[in-house]
Short mmCIF file of all heavy atoms in Angstrom, two decimals:
data_model
loop_
_atom_site.label_atom_id
_atom_site.label_comp_id
_atom_site.label_asym_id
_atom_site.label_seq_id
_atom_site.Cartn_x
_atom_site.Cartn_y
_atom_site.Cartn_z
N GLY A 39 4.00 9.30 13.10
CA GLY A 39 4.33 8.88 11.72
C GLY A 39 3.74 9.89 10.74
O GLY A 39 2.62 10.35 10.93
N VAL A 61 -5.63 -2.29 -2.35
CA VAL A 61 -5.36 -1.99 -0.94
C VAL A 61 -4.93 -0.52 -0.79
O VAL A 61 -5.30 0.16 0.16
CB VAL A 61 -4.30 -2.96 -0.35
CG1 VAL A 61 -3.94 -2.58 1.07
CG2 VAL A 61 -4.83 -4.39 -0.40
N MET A 78 8.34 -3.44 -5.31
CA MET A 78 9.32 -4.53 -5.46
C MET A 78 8.73 -5.50 -6.48
O MET A 78 8.32 -6.62 -6.14
CB MET A 78 9.56 -5.21 -4.10
CG MET A 78 10.39 -4.35 -3.17
SD MET A 78 10.25 -4.86 -1.43
CE MET A 78 8.81 -3.91 -0.97
N ALA A 88 -2.00 2.57 -12.46
CA ALA A 88 -2.98 2.03 -11.50
C ALA A 88 -2.69 2.52 -10.08
O ALA A 88 -3.63 2.77 -9.30
CB ALA A 88 -2.98 0.51 -11.54
N ALA A 103 15.20 -3.50 -11.14
CA ALA A 103 14.00 -4.00 -11.82
C ALA A 103 13.67 -3.22 -13.08
O ALA A 103 12.76 -3.60 -13.81
CB ALA A 103 12.80 -3.95 -10.86
N VAL A 149 18.34 -4.10 4.09
CA VAL A 149 18.21 -5.57 4.14
C VAL A 149 17.91 -5.98 2.70
O VAL A 149 17.58 -5.14 1.86
CB VAL A 149 17.04 -6.05 5.04
CG1 VAL A 149 17.23 -5.61 6.48
CG2 VAL A 149 15.68 -5.57 4.51
N VAL A 188 15.43 -0.93 10.61
CA VAL A 188 15.44 0.34 11.36
C VAL A 188 14.72 0.07 12.68
O VAL A 188 13.55 -0.30 12.70
CB VAL A 188 14.72 1.46 10.56
CG1 VAL A 188 14.66 2.74 11.39
CG2 VAL A 188 15.42 1.70 9.23
#
Side-chain angles (χ1 to χ4, degrees):
V61 175
M78 286 162 273
V149 299
V188 176

